[in-house]
Amino acid sequence: MKVIILGAGRIGRGFVTQIMLLNHVQITYFDVMDPMVKQLNEIGSYTIHVLGHPEKDIVNTNVTAYSANDIEKLAEIWAEADFVFTACGGKNMPSVGKTLGKAYKAMLHNGKGHVTNIITCENWIEPACDLKQALEAELDEDEKATFEKNVGVAEAVILCTGTGAPDPSLLTNPLDTWIQNFPYLPMDKAAIKGELPNWEYVDFVDQFGNLLTQKLYTNNTSCGSIAYLGYLLGEKYLAVAANSPEIAPILDEIYDEINQALIKGMGIDEESQLAFSKRAKAKYTDLDIVDPITRIARDPLRKLKPNDRLIGPSKIALSVGVEPKAIALCTAAALFYDNPEDESAVELQKMRMQNGIGYILENVCGLKPDEKLYTMIIDGIHELQKRGWLKEEVNL
């Protein structure tokens, strides 16, 4: 069996590659970054390190990569591939869909249409929908009908963390990547076309439903909360922050609020959600996973949007009578994330200094001054000041 991995970052060349290699699948990489493509081809091999379990490390050899901008080559390789995995970042799904649409059009033109599947491996709400919409915009009506008949576009949920080298000074191969010991990839079974492969470590889920949202509002909400609080406290690594005596009790409150919101507000099975949050906590408190806070906290403007990991679950909680005080406190902390190397953080702080907190809550978070969550976040700012975690004067 052959697959394409579109996006050779830590998840693509790390976690997704691990799952495919464990199933003896042939991989071809495509990436938009020419330096990455060049490195993959020139070096030709690298190690996927499993954090805390060196005996499970895998060496990926005979690596082949092409530019994602080479539409003809993408069409040629796709003509023989059974699956295409995307690991490009959720916000890039429209551009990825456009690229795949052009490649599919070329593939049909060459008479190479066949049953195949695209699997999105993104931390995003409805990435498959964004990708498919952009892809089909490149096709005429006949091509679109053929695509609908023969190509599945399904979502997968990435529960595994990928990081850089725990000790960069010891790095000998720039392609090496480090992943959590969690080889498990659930996919939306109903969206897949053709016969399902007999892959280990892959779960083709019948009732995929809200799994991606459940993951976003459990894993991403909690790790983002740890990151923004940890940044205020001067911590550098996520697990260290999660285990700190200041943050650990807040983290327990966060999981309680998340669990109540998703069980009561989304109808998610209680046993399933409690197990889900327990795994998430174990992951983010695992000191074997050396994950920089700046990686988790990056792009705060996106993460403060109405349906993302902070505001989204808070609104669900309030809708069922649960007060998300801990998540509101973490949202308050996110408003002050000022990493000068993060373009989004710089823009956020410029917005805050020029227009005030209220402007951000209304125009980024989508909240009105008379909404309870708006007031709770303001209260969260006062609580951060009371604790001494926030020392500057605040323009509300």
Side-chain angles (χ1 to χ4, degrees):
M1 185 165 284
K2 298 179 180 180
V3 304
I4 289 169
I5 295 180
L6 189 56
R10 289 172 181 165
I11 294 300
R13 79 174 189 277
F15 173 65
V16 178
T17 292
Q18 177 204 33
I19 298 293
M20 292 298 102
L21 291 180
L22 289 172
N23 285 287
H24 310 290
V25 174
Q26 182 179 330
I27 303 166
T28 304
Y29 298 92
F30 283 83
D31 197 279
V32 294
M33 303 298 292
D34 290 337
M36 173 58 72
V37 173
K38 184 178 180 181
Q39 275 191 330
L40 286 167
N41 288 319
E42 288 184 349
I43 298 174
S45 69
Y46 64 92
T47 300
I48 301 169
H49 300 267
V50 181
L51 291 160
H53 297 270
E55 74 281 1
K56 296 183 179 182
D57 292 355
I58 298 177
V59 179
N60 187 17
T61 58
N62 300 316
V63 175
T64 301
Y66 300 98
S67 170
N69 297 315
D70 187 343
I71 301 299
E72 288 301 322
K73 180 57 71 172
L74 180 55
E76 176 190 330
I77 301 298
W78 193 2
E80 298 183 358
D82 303 281
F83 282 79
V84 176
F85 292 91
T86 77
C88 306
K91 66 181 178 181
N92 297 315
M93 288 300 94
S95 61
V96 171
K98 185 174 182 178
T99 296
L100 287 173
K102 291 178 178 178
Y104 189 72
K105 196 178 189 77
M107 190 162 62
L108 290 182
H109 179 75
N110 296 330
K112 299 292 186 177
H114 65 299
V115 175
T116 184
N117 289 280
I118 302 167
I119 310 295
T120 61
C121 302
E122 317 292 347
N123 285 322
W124 203 255
I125 296 175
E126 297 186 339
C129 180
D130 291 347
L131 182 146
K132 186 175 182 180
Q133 184 176 13
L135 189 157
E136 291 190 339
E138 297 297 315
L139 309 178
D140 63 31
E141 290 304 313
D142 289 340
E143 292 164 342
K144 191 182 298 185
T146 302
F147 178 85
E148 288 284 354
K149 179 181 178 181
N150 294 319
V151 184
V153 183
E155 294 171 355
V157 176
I158 303 300
L159 298 168
C160 179
T161 292
T163 74
D167 186 349
S169 67
L170 300 178
L171 183 65
T172 57
N173 185 337
L175 293 174
D176 279 7
T177 188
W178 281 255
I179 59 172
Q180 178 194 12
N181 182 33
F182 196 68
Y184 173 65
L185 184 62
M187 297 183 191
D188 183 1
K189 179 179 178 180
I192 293 175
K193 303 284 188 182
E195 185 177 350
L196 296 176
N198 185 25
W199 284 341
E200 286 190 275
Y201 313 107
V202 175
D203 185 6
F204 295 102
V205 180
D206 284 307
Q207 302 296 326
F208 194 78
N210 290 318
L211 186 58
L212 198 62
T213 303
Q214 183 183 15
K215 186 265 179 180
L216 178 67
Y217 287 170
T218 304
N219 290 47
N220 294 33
T221 296
S222 57
C223 75
S225 296
I226 297 165
Y228 291 123
L229 291 176
Y231 184 82
L232 280 186
L233 291 174
E235 299 289 0
K236 292 184 178 180
Y237 298 103
L238 193 74
V240 175
N243 284 285
S244 71
E246 295 90 352
I247 294 176
I250 299 172
L251 183 57
D252 287 335
E253 294 175 21
I254 288 167
Y255 283 121
D256 183 57
E257 292 170 3
I258 291 169
N259 290 341
Q260 290 190 68
L262 299 190
I263 292 166
K264 297 178 182 178
M266 292 183 62
I268 290 174
D269 176 74
E270 181 175 358
E271 183 179 353
S272 167
Q273 177 57 29
L274 293 178
F276 209 94
S277 64
K278 185 177 181 180
R279 286 195 300 269
K281 182 180 179 181
K283 173 179 178 178
Y284 300 126
T285 56
D286 184 351
L287 293 169
D288 281 334
I289 303 176
V290 183
D291 208 357
I293 278 176
T294 51
R295 188 187 79 84
I296 302 298
R298 65 189 176 194
D299 198 2
L301 283 173
R302 172 170 65 85
K303 292 168 183 175
L304 284 164
K305 286 185 176 181
N307 294 320
D308 217 286
R309 65 209 66 196
L310 296 170
I311 304 301
S314 296
K315 291 165 75 173
I316 294 173
L318 285 169
S319 73
V320 292
V322 176
E323 292 196 357
K325 292 182 180 180
I327 303 176
L329 180 72
C330 299
T331 306
L335 297 171
F336 295 87
Y337 181 65
D338 61 358
N339 180 5
E341 298 179 359
D342 185 322
E343 183 178 337
S344 175
V346 171
E347 179 62 26
L348 174 65
Q349 297 317 308
K350 179 180 177 182
M351 197 181 294
R352 182 173 65 82
M353 298 300 292
Q354 292 181 351
N355 303 298
I357 292 293
Y359 179 87
I360 298 171
L361 294 180
E362 289 193 59
N363 292 278
V364 177
C365 304
L367 301 174
K368 300 298 181 185
D370 60 351
E371 289 187 63
K372 187 167 186 176
L373 184 55
Y374 184 108
T375 303
M376 291 180 71
I377 295 170
I378 298 297
D379 290 343
I381 293 173
H382 295 319
E383 177 64 23
L384 291 172
Q385 291 174 316
K386 181 180 177 181
R387 292 176 182 237
W389 298 0
L390 188 62
K391 298 179 174 64
E392 65 181 273
E393 291 294 324
V394 178
N395 176 16
L396 298 176

